[in-house]
Amino acid sequence: MKNFKFALLFVGLIACGEKTDETQSDAYIPELVITDSLVIDNLTQLAFIDVKEDHSEYLFYDFKTSEFFRIGKSGEIILKANRSEDGKDSFRSRYFTTAHYMKNNRILVLTHALASIYDLDFNLIESKKVDFELVTRNIGGSRAALTSNEYLYTFSLDTNGDVQAIFGSEEFSIAYPFMTVRDINSLDTLHSSFIPKETQMAANPGLYNNLDPIVKIVEDEMYVLFPNSPEMYVYDFPELQLKTSWDLNPGDSYKQIVPNHDPSSLDGFFNSLGSSEYKSFSFSNGYLLTVFEGAAPQDEIDALPNRTVGSPEFNELSDKYKSKYHYQIFKGQDKLWQGDLNVNLWSVRDVLYSSAKPGEDPDEVEKDVQTIYFYELR
């Protein structure tokens, strides 16, 4: 891991944004700085999956080779392991839904059918069938599950019930207590909760492409941000009792999605193209940073030559508008700043990171190594 002896300040933090009416004009706006980097000597791009609580190592995945990578804090490759292939240590699936570090040097890998627990050498310790299904459209790093000490949070539904009736419900998004805290060993349900009645999904029931929320567990609280509802919800953890919530007030930069009502149609994808979605949030030195994407104008969506999801024209429009991120900075519930930055940021647990420096296009130059830059608000 490379230590930066300087703080790289974002001049664009103020130039491309503004202080908000909710705060005093003299409110301090924290600066976004690069604090460190992780240089991985690997030719293919790895997906950042999880990080140990003490940041002593990182879990990555190579979707081309189907290998997990354990990466040390100096960027060294500790171990590579393919567990999708046949064998005694296999999780018996081509794809996994998500993977996370556990206590006692264990790693949990969840697939559609199994929960597999490995030691740090990816030797299989235990594998059991699961009686729940994660409600997510993502694989290989889904946010629909998260480990925390002796608990496993899942955004899921029990497969022992009438799953088709739930999916077919006109009020699918609020018809089931998807948020669940389980015992991490037995996977038994300890606590569960419905999507809050204050959300956009409750106000406008229907089918949403991305229902599973972004979740951060901080000590005895769980912060929940639904991608299509601009509010922050705070729960007691692990009890899942709602404590408080507040409106993120993203303003005109954020366009609210309209739900789909026909599960057989592709309207949901076009609705998503023309609307905003929260992608991430992170806590840093007492501040909260939220990230949401832009939206394609409706007239440009209507001008598409056909209604084909994934067509060159559809993808071009998506790349043009959905890859543009907008940012908000909060102190407590007070919004200090909202605007744009010249870098795309993501987070895994409490790590705020990017694959580029400010103003740099990570895909512009082919590199022999992969570099992850770590950021903080100061």
Side-chain angles (χ1 to χ4, degrees), residues 235-278:
Y235 292 80
D236 284 320
F237 186 85
E239 295 85 0
L240 291 187
Q241 295 295 318
L242 183 61
K243 294 176 61 176
T244 189
S245 65
W246 70 91
D247 195 331
L248 297 177
N249 292 315
D252 294 338
S253 298
Y254 181 91
K255 185 173 181 182
Q256 182 61 49
I257 193 171
V258 176
N260 182 24
H261 294 280
D262 181 1
S264 64
S265 80
L266 298 176
D267 287 348
F269 294 97
F270 290 93
N271 291 347
S272 180
L273 181 61
S275 61
S276 300
E277 181 177 298
Y278 274 89

Side-chain angles (χ1 to χ4, degrees), residues 279-290:
K279 305 299 290 184
S280 180
F281 72 88
S282 182
F283 293 100
S284 180
N285 296 318
Y287 297 98
L288 167 66
L289 177 76
T290 66

Side-chain angles (χ1 to χ4, degrees), residues 174 195-203 229-231 233 235 242 245:
I174 56 172
I195 290 175
K197 64 181 183 300
E198 298 85 359
T199 61
Q200 292 294 321
M201 293 80 70
S229 198
E231 309 91 27
Y233 296 89
Y235 292 80
L242 183 61
S245 65

Side-chain angles (χ1 to χ4, degrees), residues 50-51 53 98-103 106-110 143-154 182 184 187 215-217 237 349:
D50 200 15
V51 57
E53 184 177 350
T98 191
H100 292 290
Y101 286 107
M102 302 170 61
K103 293 195 309 181
R106 299 289 187 262
I107 295 173
L108 172 68
V109 178
L110 291 175
R143 60 183 179 234
L146 185 64
T147 55
S148 180
N149 296 318
E150 64 266 33
Y151 303 110
L152 173 67
Y153 156 81
T154 63
R182 303 173 185 274
I184 201 166
L187 302 182
V215 168
K216 305 287 183 186
I217 299 171
F237 186 85
R349 294 196 189 258

Side-chain angles (χ1 to χ4, degrees), residues 29-46:
I29 307 299
E31 296 165 324
L32 190 63
V33 304
I34 294 178
T35 58
D36 218 333
S37 69
L38 192 68
V39 181
I40 306 170
D41 187 8
N42 195 66
L43 291 177
T44 57
Q45 289 293 302
L46 306 178

Side-chain angles (χ1 to χ4, degrees), residues 73-350:
K73 62 181 181 180
S74 296
E76 73 277 15
I77 298 174
I78 301 172
L79 179 76
K80 294 192 293 186
N82 184 334
R83 291 298 178 259
S84 64
E85 298 176 337
D86 293 337
K88 64 181 181 65
D89 295 317
S90 172
F91 51 71
R92 288 178 272 169
S93 176
R94 179 67 180 87
Y95 299 103
F96 71 101
T97 310
T98 191
H100 292 290
Y101 286 107
M102 302 170 61
K103 293 195 309 181
N104 303 322
N105 292 323
R106 299 289 187 262
I107 295 173
L108 172 68
V109 178
L110 291 175
T111 65
H112 177 73
L114 294 175
S116 301
I117 298 176
Y118 293 88
D119 64 19
L120 290 183
D121 291 323
F122 270 95
N123 298 310
L124 183 63
I125 297 173
E126 180 184 8
S127 185
K128 63 177 70 175
K129 291 184 178 180
V130 296
D131 59 359
F132 60 88
E133 180 179 343
L134 297 181
V135 179
T136 181
R137 289 183 177 270
N138 301 311
I139 60 171
S142 167
R143 60 183 179 234
L146 185 64
T147 55
S148 180
N149 296 318
E150 64 266 33
Y151 303 110
L152 173 67
Y153 156 81
T154 63
F155 192 80
S156 58
L157 55 83
D158 292 337
T159 53
N160 292 331
D162 191 346
V163 175
Q164 291 304 316
I166 296 171
F167 273 108
S169 169
E170 180 68 19
E171 298 186 347
F172 165 71
S173 58
I174 56 172
Y176 192 85
F178 293 108
M179 291 187 291
T180 306
V181 171
R182 303 173 185 274
D183 180 280
I184 201 166
N185 295 306
S186 67
L187 302 182
D188 291 339
T189 298
L190 303 177
H191 307 281
S192 61
S193 184
F194 287 83
I195 290 175
K197 64 181 183 300
E198 298 85 359
T199 61
Q200 292 294 321
M201 293 80 70
N204 298 288
L207 302 176
Y208 290 81
N209 270 12
N210 291 297
L211 194 60
D212 49 321
I214 308 150
V215 168
K216 305 287 183 186
I217 299 171
V218 182
E219 297 180 350
D220 59 352
E221 293 183 324
M222 187 172 83
Y223 291 77
V224 176
L225 174 56
F226 293 92
N228 298 132
S229 198
E231 309 91 27
M232 182 67 74
Y233 296 89
V234 186
Y235 292 80
D236 284 320
F237 186 85
E239 295 85 0
L240 291 187
Q241 295 295 318
L242 183 61
K243 294 176 61 176
T244 189
S245 65
W246 70 91
D247 195 331
L248 297 177
N249 292 315
D252 294 338
S253 298
Y254 181 91
K255 185 173 181 182
Q256 182 61 49
I257 193 171
V258 176
N260 182 24
H261 294 280
D262 181 1
S264 64
S265 80
L266 298 176
D267 287 348
F269 294 97
F270 290 93
N271 291 347
S272 180
L273 181 61
S275 61
S276 300
E277 181 177 298
Y278 274 89
K279 305 299 290 184
S280 180
F281 72 88
S282 182
F283 293 100
S284 180
N285 296 318
Y287 297 98
L288 167 66
L289 177 76
T290 66
V291 185
F292 66 91
E293 65 183 6
Q298 190 60 49
D299 59 344
E300 295 191 38
I301 297 175
D302 294 338
L304 289 172
N306 55 61
R307 296 283 289 181
T308 302
V309 175
S311 68
E313 296 83 4
F314 182 97
N315 291 338
E316 182 179 347
L317 203 57
S318 178
D319 291 341
K320 180 179 179 180
Y321 292 104
K322 305 295 281 185
S323 61
K324 181 177 177 59
Y325 286 179
H326 305 284
Y327 299 87
Q328 299 171 291
I329 296 176
F330 294 82
K331 183 70 173 180
Q333 298 184 16
D334 295 326
K335 186 168 67 171
L336 304 180
W337 174 89
Q338 179 169 323
D340 301 337
L341 300 172
N342 54 354
V343 66
N344 280 357
L345 298 169
W346 300 274
S347 68
V348 170
R349 294 196 189 258
D350 61 344

